[in-house]
């Protein structure tokens, strides 16, 4: 396709070309592409992603089940058995390995499909012109030649040239490090213009702060500036606490496995046993020790949790964040819309003396009516209050709101005059005012500023949010700049009411009982924030303000941030500092934000939480998206997150108790017997049958008391659990071994059969014991776990009596054998329950 080569040709310097040249080279038009043209370009350029989607994803996922070095060596050893004419055993080993891999593949593929469907609900969209009309499409579907329509809060999905701009400011900090928003304009620039000065170009990874624009897409995906940088740096998402704990647990088991396997192989070889048989026996023990289903179990647990959370109106974008969600003990939240109803109502328009003023109301309405930046709830509340006649007023220009000035100014013409009307935070607005207008229209010096400040603080103490309104006559001036915001006349105050949500007190109390402490972070005054806290908090809050925070060193901030309940008058850049300080104090921190200025804090938090109607940049930065802006939704999601974490830990406990004990016992008895206590194929079958109950753990029920508090990875606890319950399992394994050998005088075949039955059934039943801290009969397991456990036991009992059992080297047992084995299993379950109570009592102490 010719357009592909032409696009690549202009990629390096599209900002140096006119709009007409770019449109011609891209074979597009201001009305956008047609559906046919889009299909052709998708075929050429692919999806607009930094990382292209993997092809043959199912095949890769299947092969991933067999990438463990131990599994690969086992397959090679089985193939070697073919060469030595031991075909039956080799086929059995390969079949068991294959079934285990397919089981993991099926579970992970099912989980991946479920997650993909959930992510489609909250994917970031882009608005483009196609076939002459605006269409909202996934950002990944944007192609070169598309005409983007952008407004405040939108993420820029690709690199492109600005065709039209109105008061357009973009945040490019992710690319250039520039703190302040950059104004964007039209018109070509020199080809050697540095990235930070390309004022006519927009880039992927940035977002619009204010204004409106149309831009033509030139580059997508990895061909963008952001794509080239990410390709060089190979940036990975930071490792979550859950992922870190999982990795450390894996290393720990790997160390144990390697030591045991090498030792067993060396000792069996020393005793003169066949090298291949000893090698296969050692590898089979390694498979039994290694929780090879852990990735599949984790994926299934997380996907199951994601589906449950979706039912609670919580969509998970990053699965590993579910575990952090459950571990979270601090939740930082903005005030408006989350803690309050979010439906601001204009309560009053007051002059500088606190009396009702029609002029303040009119000028406030003019400012809100003509602004074209981000759709702010405050402006919507003003516009909804009344509709004065604006026929005499015409908008000339605008300086959009930004988080440094904290004000928004418009320029309107009325008759032969041009008026600047500014609206913003009272302290910031007073800084640019030199006069105050009285009720009768006269002005006086700004010496009344203290009175105005006291008035706004008094309103704040009563729960009202107050914004200042000021104006200035610019004569015949037609252009507005930030420099015009000087020598202004303070006119009065607009006050807004935003009551707290009716169920907020109960929700905050529920979060507190769940071990989650709420902290409020807001740009509102300390008085408004304190008034809010008085309605939901149990005591007078400790308030830390933005100006105080600005003067603090990091060490002092860590101490103060941990104690403070409310952070008020906070600037956007300070939100990230607060989050990082709370994390340094040892907390797992969640941050709930939905604004343009929340992206950095969302990235910094352990769990970034946004809402479905948030601006694109906030949704992109979040790990979790709420379909309803309500803390009650979050509360329910936390419970599901903790259940998911609990079920993941259950698998870890199972894999490190009975499995470890069984493998350790086999390794020990192999040193005293003239033959192997179990054949490699029998060990692998044992491992496969004990996996089935564990695969059902994702749907298991969780005791209510576990959900009530946050939990975190504790490798020391897991190590102690493995040692205690692994040794307990070994004690009863050796009891089984001694009974079969010394009391019943079993031969090799019957000893292996009896030990196989004891190993599988005891491992299946111990699942019911270790899954809960309660007595096992007082904690009902999930239906699927119970069915899988019963099914595994039935298959184990039947196997020695059917022809398939003979292929595995089993033989039918006399009643006395079965009776002794069952008695030992019952004793083991009782002992495990007793030891469990002692173990947790010691842990509590």
């Amino acid at each position: 396709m010719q357009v592909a080569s032409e696009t690549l040709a202009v990629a390096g310097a599209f900002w140096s070309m006119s709009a007409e040249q770019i449109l011609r080279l891209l074979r597009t038009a201001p009305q956008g592409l047609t559906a046919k043209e889009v299909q052709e370009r998708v075929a050429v350029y692919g999806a607009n992603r930094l990382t292209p989607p993997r092809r043959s994803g199912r095949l890769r996922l299947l092969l991933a089940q067999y990438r463990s070095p131990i599994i690969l060596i086992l397959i090679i050893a089985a193939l070697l058995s073919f060469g030595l004419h031991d075909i039956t055993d080799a086929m059995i080993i390969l079949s068991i390995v294959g079934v285990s891999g397919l089981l993991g593949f099926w579970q992970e593929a099912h989980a991946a499909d479920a997650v993909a469907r959930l992510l489609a609900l909250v994917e970031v969209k882009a608005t483009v012109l196609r076939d002459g009309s605006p269409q909202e499409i996934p950002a990944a579907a944007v192609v070169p030649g598309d005409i983007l329509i952008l407004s405040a809060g939108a993420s820029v999905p690709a690199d492109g040239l600005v065709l039209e701009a109105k008061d357009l400011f973009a945040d490019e900090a992710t690319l250039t490090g520039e703190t302040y928003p950059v104004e964007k304009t039209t018109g070509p620039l020199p080809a050697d213009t540095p990235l930070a000065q390309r004022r006519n170009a927009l880039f992927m990874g940035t977002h619009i702060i204010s204004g409106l624009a149309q831009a033509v897409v030139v580059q997508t995906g990895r061909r963008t500036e952001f794509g080239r940088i990410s390709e060089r740096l190979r940036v990975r998402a930071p490792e979550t606490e859950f992922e870190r704990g999982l990795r450390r647990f894996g290393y720990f088991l790997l160390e144990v496995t390697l030591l045991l396997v090498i030792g067993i192989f060396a000792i069996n070889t020393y005793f003169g046993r066949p090298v291949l048989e000893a090698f296969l026996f050692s590898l089979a023990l390694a498979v039994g020790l290694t929780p090879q289903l852990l990735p599949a179990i984790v994926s299934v647990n997380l996907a199951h949790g994601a589906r449950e959370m979706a039912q609670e109106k919580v969509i998970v974008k990053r699965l590993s964040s579910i575990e952090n969600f459950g571990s979270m003990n601090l939740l930082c939240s903005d005030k408006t819309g989350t803690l309050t109803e979010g439906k601001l109502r204009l309560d009053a328009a007051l002059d500088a003396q606190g009396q009702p003023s029609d002029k303040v109301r009119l000028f406030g309405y003019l400012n809100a009516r003509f602004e074209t930046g981000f759709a702010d709830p405050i402006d919507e509340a003003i516009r909804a209050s009344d509709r004065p006649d604006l026929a005499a007023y015409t908008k000339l220009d605008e300086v959009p709101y930004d988080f440094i000035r904290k004000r928004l100014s418009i320029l309107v013409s009325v008759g032969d005059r041009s008026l600047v009307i500014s609206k913003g935070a009272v302290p910031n607005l007073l800084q640019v005012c030199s006069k105050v207008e009285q009720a009768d229209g006269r002005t006086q010096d700004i010496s009344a500023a203290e009175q105005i400040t006291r008035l706004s603080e008094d309103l704040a103490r009563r729960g009202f949010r107050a914004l200042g309104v000021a104006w200035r006559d610019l004569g015949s001036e037609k252009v507005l700049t930030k420099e015009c915001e000087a020598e202004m006349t303070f006119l009065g105050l607009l006050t807004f009411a935003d009551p707290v949500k009716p169920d907020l007190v109960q929700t905050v109390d529920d979060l507190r009982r769940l071990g989650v402490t709420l902290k409020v972070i807001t740009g509102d005054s300390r008085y408004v924030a304190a008034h809010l806290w008085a309605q939901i908090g149990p005591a007078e809050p400790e308030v830390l303000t933005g100006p105080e925070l600005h003067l603090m060193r990091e060490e002092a901030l860590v101490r103060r941030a941990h104690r403070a309940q409310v952070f008020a008058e906070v600037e956007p850049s300070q939100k990230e500092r607060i989050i990082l300080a709370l994390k340094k104090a040892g907390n797992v921190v969640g941050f709930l934000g939905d604004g343009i200025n929340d992206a950095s804090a969302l990235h910094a938090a352990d769990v970034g939480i946004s809402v479905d109607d948030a601006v694109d940049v906030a949704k992109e930065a979040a790990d979790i998206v709420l379909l309803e802006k309500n803390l009650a939704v979050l509360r329910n999601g936390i419970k599901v997150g903790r259940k998911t974490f609990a079920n993941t830990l259950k698998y870890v406990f199972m894999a490190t108790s009975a499995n470890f004990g069984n493998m350790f016992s086999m390794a020990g008895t192999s040193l005293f017997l003239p033959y192997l206590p179990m054949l490699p194929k029998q060990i692998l079958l044992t491992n496969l049958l004990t996996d089935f109950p564990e695969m059902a753990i994702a749907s298991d029920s969780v005791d209510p008391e576990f959900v009530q508090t946050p939990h975190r990875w504790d490798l020391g606890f897991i190590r102690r659990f493995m040692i205690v319950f692994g040794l307990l399992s070994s004690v009863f394994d050796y009891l089984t071994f001694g009974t079969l050998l010394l009391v019943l005088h079993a031969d090799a075949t019957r000893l292996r059969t009896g030990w196989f039955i004891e190993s599988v059934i005891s491992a299946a039943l111990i699942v019911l014991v270790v899954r809960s801290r309660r007595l096992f009969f007082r904690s009902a397991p999930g239906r699927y776990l119970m069915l899988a456990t019963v099914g595994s036991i039935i298959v184990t009992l039947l196997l020695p009596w059917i022809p398939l059992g003979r292929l595995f080297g089993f033989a039918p047992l006399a009643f006395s054998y079965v009776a002794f084995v069952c008695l030992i299993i019952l004793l083991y379950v009782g002992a495990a329950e007793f030891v469990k109570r002692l173990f947790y009592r010691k842990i509590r102490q």
Side-chain angles (χ1 to χ4, degrees):
M1 185 178 179
Q2 187 179 1
V3 70
S5 61
E6 290 171 342
T7 301
L8 292 173
V10 301
F14 65 84
W15 53 89
S16 67
M17 309 183 77
S18 67
E20 293 76 16
Q21 287 176 295
I22 289 290
L23 292 173
R24 186 171 63 253
L25 286 170
L26 291 172
R27 296 179 180 272
T28 188
Q31 296 77 33
L33 301 171
T34 65
K36 182 179 179 183
E37 289 171 332
V38 170
Q39 289 180 349
E40 293 172 348
R41 296 181 192 222
V42 168
V44 172
Y45 299 107
N48 178 32
R49 294 188 177 96
L50 297 181
T51 304
R54 292 181 175 179
R55 295 183 178 179
S56 305
R58 296 292 194 197
L59 179 61
R60 287 176 181 268
L61 186 59
L62 178 60
L63 294 176
Q65 308 302 315
Y66 304 101
R67 66 185 177 188
S68 164
I70 295 174
I71 295 294
L72 292 175
I73 295 172
L74 190 61
I75 292 173
I76 293 170
L79 294 175
L80 185 59
S81 294
F82 272 111
L84 298 176
H85 305 294
D86 193 358
I87 297 174
T88 302
D89 280 7
M91 287 293 293
I92 289 173
I93 290 172
L94 289 176
S95 298
I96 293 174
V97 171
V99 169
S100 294
L102 288 172
L103 193 61
F105 164 74
W106 176 77
Q107 291 272 28
E108 287 201 65
H110 183 67
D113 289 343
V115 171
R117 288 193 295 270
L118 293 176
L119 287 179
L121 297 175
V122 292
E123 65 183 349
V124 173
K125 303 291 182 68
T127 302
V128 299
L129 284 174
R130 287 186 177 173
D131 293 318
S133 60
Q135 296 182 21
E136 194 175 64
I137 63 171
V142 170
V143 296
D146 265 327
I147 305 299
L148 295 172
I149 300 175
L150 298 163
S151 59
S155 293
V156 180
D159 289 1
L161 186 75
V162 178
L163 301 179
E164 297 177 13
K166 180 61 178 173
D167 305 315
L168 183 66
F169 286 79
D171 183 342
E172 296 184 340
T174 51
L175 276 181
T176 66
E178 177 63 45
T179 305
Y180 300 105
V182 178
E183 186 173 12
K184 294 294 180 177
T185 58
T186 58
L189 296 169
D192 59 354
T193 302
L195 177 65
Q197 297 175 22
R198 296 172 193 166
R199 301 301 173 94
N200 64 345
L202 294 169
F203 301 100
M204 173 189 266
T206 66
H207 61 275
I208 305 302
I209 291 291
S210 61
L212 301 168
Q214 284 194 12
V216 59
V217 174
V218 179
Q219 294 290 20
T220 57
R222 288 182 294 174
R223 293 177 291 274
T224 61
E225 291 288 345
F226 196 75
R228 283 194 284 271
I229 291 172
S230 64
E231 189 72 18
R232 288 197 302 269
L233 298 180
R234 295 283 182 182
V235 178
R236 289 189 60 191
E239 190 177 43
T240 67
E241 183 183 347
F242 169 70
E243 291 169 327
R244 191 159 48 249
L246 205 59
R247 174 172 53 79
R248 289 174 179 169
F249 172 65
Y251 287 155
F252 166 65
L253 282 185
L254 182 62
E255 292 170 5
V256 173
T257 301
L258 285 176
L259 286 174
L260 193 59
V261 168
I262 292 171
I264 294 303
F265 175 68
I267 293 171
N268 275 277
T269 305
Y270 174 78
F271 282 136
R273 287 162 189 161
V275 173
L276 180 59
E277 187 178 76
F279 187 53
L280 281 171
F281 178 71
S282 301
L283 287 178
L285 285 179
V287 172
L289 278 170
T290 305
Q292 74 246 32
L293 285 180
L294 184 58
I297 293 290
V298 170
S299 296
V300 171
N301 271 338
L302 295 180
H304 186 272
R307 287 195 298 271
E308 276 200 55
M309 289 173 76
Q311 294 173 359
E312 301 291 345
K313 300 182 180 180
V314 179
I315 304 299
V316 180
K317 289 179 59 185
R318 186 182 178 193
L319 284 183
S320 56
S321 66
I322 292 179
E323 309 289 358
N324 275 358
F325 200 38
S327 304
M328 180 175 69
N329 68 301
L330 279 185
L331 173 63
C332 299
S333 174
D334 191 9
K335 177 179 72 70
T336 305
T338 306
L339 307 181
T340 63
E341 291 185 351
K343 298 176 182 177
L344 288 175
R345 173 177 52 84
L346 180 61
D347 184 73
L350 308 173
D351 61 20
Q353 289 73 45
Q355 299 303 311
S357 170
D358 290 337
K359 187 173 183 180
V360 173
R361 187 178 293 272
L362 171 63
F363 276 35
Y365 187 88
L366 282 167
N367 182 283
R369 173 66 182 81
F370 287 130
E371 69 91 17
T372 57
F374 178 59
D376 188 271
I378 290 175
D379 293 308
E380 293 175 3
I382 296 172
R383 292 193 288 263
S385 62
D386 52 23
R387 298 179 183 275
D389 183 9
L390 304 184
Y393 298 91
T394 304
K395 180 181 176 181
L396 299 175
D397 205 354
E398 175 181 0
V399 177
Y401 179 90
D402 65 57
F403 296 101
I404 306 301
R405 293 164 40 252
K406 292 190 176 180
R407 55 182 174 266
L408 162 68
S409 297
I410 62 161
L411 183 66
V412 297
S413 66
V414 52
D416 57 355
R417 294 189 303 160
S418 295
L419 303 182
V420 182
I421 302 175
S422 294
K423 173 180 92 273
V426 174
N428 298 64
L429 205 56
L430 287 173
Q431 290 172 5
V432 295
C433 291
S434 60
K435 293 178 289 185
V436 177
E437 185 169 321
Q438 304 297 309
D440 58 6
R442 291 182 301 168
T443 60
Q444 68 178 49
D445 187 71
I446 196 65
S447 58
E450 290 185 8
Q451 176 187 336
I452 297 168
T453 301
R454 285 196 300 271
L455 176 60
S456 66
E457 289 177 357
D458 181 60
L459 289 165
R461 287 189 181 96
R462 289 187 282 148
F464 293 105
R465 181 174 181 179
L467 291 183
V469 179
W471 71 283
R472 178 185 175 189
D473 191 336
L474 284 189
S476 60
E477 185 63 54
K478 304 297 182 186
V479 178
L480 181 62
T481 64
K482 292 179 183 179
E483 287 69 30
C484 297
E485 296 176 332
E487 301 297 320
M488 301 188 75
T489 300
F490 191 87
L491 189 59
L493 300 171
L494 296 170
T495 65
F496 302 87
D498 187 13
V500 298
K501 292 188 173 179
D503 60 346
L504 181 63
V505 175
Q506 180 63 48
T507 302
V508 172
D509 194 47
D510 289 346
L511 286 174
R512 194 179 295 116
R513 282 199 293 268
L514 288 171
V516 179
T517 301
L518 177 68
K519 292 181 183 286
V520 178
I521 302 179
T522 178
D524 284 349
S525 77
R526 63 181 301 152
Y527 304 107
V528 171
H531 181 271
L532 168 78
W533 189 266
Q535 299 176 69
I536 62 173
E540 186 74 18
E542 181 172 338
V543 181
L544 183 60
T545 64
E548 292 174 317
L549 194 151
H550 181 71
L551 299 174
M552 282 186 182
R553 293 183 177 179
E554 293 305 315
E555 296 79 9
L557 178 58
V558 170
R559 292 193 297 272
R560 284 291 305 278
H562 187 68
R563 296 200 308 265
Q565 291 88 29
V566 175
F567 301 86
E569 302 167 26
V570 171
E571 296 177 3
S573 59
Q574 293 176 325
K575 293 183 179 182
E576 182 179 10
R577 277 193 71 198
I578 295 168
I579 299 299
L580 293 175
L582 292 170
K583 289 174 66 175
K584 284 181 182 177
N587 300 292
V588 179
V589 184
F591 176 74
L592 174 56
D594 63 352
I596 301 170
N597 58 331
D598 291 328
S600 59
L602 287 166
H603 276 297
D606 292 298
V607 189
I609 308 164
S610 192
V611 291
D612 192 35
D613 59 356
V615 297
D616 288 347
V617 65
K619 284 171 65 175
E620 277 186 315
D623 302 307
I624 289 172
V625 177
L626 308 182
L627 297 182
E628 183 179 316
K629 195 171 184 180
N630 194 322
L631 282 187
V633 173
L634 202 59
R635 173 194 60 200
N636 297 335
I638 289 171
K639 291 181 178 179
V640 176
R642 290 182 182 173
K643 288 179 181 178
T644 305
F645 185 64
N647 284 335
T648 303
L649 281 181
K650 286 177 189 177
Y651 174 76
V652 170
F653 291 157
M654 296 166 193
T656 55
S657 54
N659 286 10
F660 177 79
N662 287 341
M663 299 307 119
F664 185 76
S665 304
M666 290 181 201
T669 51
S670 69
L671 306 181
F672 305 105
L673 289 174
Y675 49 84
L676 292 176
M678 266 198 195
L679 299 175
K681 59 187 176 183
Q682 294 170 342
I683 296 174
L684 292 175
L685 180 62
T686 300
N687 194 45
L688 180 64
L689 288 174
T690 55
D691 281 341
F692 275 102
E694 293 164 359
M695 290 297 286
I697 203 68
S699 59
D700 189 26
S701 57
V702 176
D703 295 336
E705 57 268 22
F706 191 95
V707 178
Q708 292 304 311
T709 54
H711 296 272
R712 303 170 74 167
W713 274 97
D714 185 347
L715 195 58
F717 175 82
I718 294 172
R719 189 185 296 114
R720 292 194 296 273
F721 191 96
M722 184 180 82
I723 292 171
V724 170
F725 287 89
L727 290 177
L728 179 67
S729 175
S730 288
V731 167
F732 284 89
D733 284 338
Y734 284 119
L735 179 60
T736 303
F737 165 72
T739 301
L740 291 171
L741 194 65
L742 302 177
V743 177
L744 300 174
H745 307 292
D747 57 18
T749 301
R750 284 171 175 76
L751 184 141
R752 289 166 178 160
T753 304
W755 204 347
F756 165 77
I757 292 173
E758 188 271 342
S759 295
V760 176
I761 296 179
S762 64
L765 290 178
I766 206 66
V767 169
L768 305 180
V769 175
V770 302
R771 58 172 291 278
S772 170
R773 295 192 179 193
R774 297 180 177 184
L775 292 171
F776 74 91
F777 53 82
R778 290 185 177 173
S779 176
R783 181 178 59 178
Y784 295 113
L785 175 61
M786 197 66 199
L787 289 174
T789 301
V790 172
S792 178
I793 292 172
I794 291 173
V795 169
T796 302
L797 290 172
L798 291 178
L799 196 60
W801 280 268
I802 61 176
L804 182 62
R806 285 192 287 274
L807 288 176
F808 282 94
F810 297 132
L813 296 177
F815 175 78
S816 57
Y817 282 78
V818 177
F820 269 109
V821 168
C822 290
L823 178 62
I824 292 170
I825 291 171
L826 290 175
L827 290 173
Y828 173 45
V829 171
E833 189 62 55
F834 177 73
V835 170
K836 181 181 74 174
R837 297 191 67 182
L838 292 179
F839 179 81
Y840 284 118
R841 184 182 302 167
K842 182 71 174 177
I843 292 295
R844 283 194 297 272
Q845 293 173 351

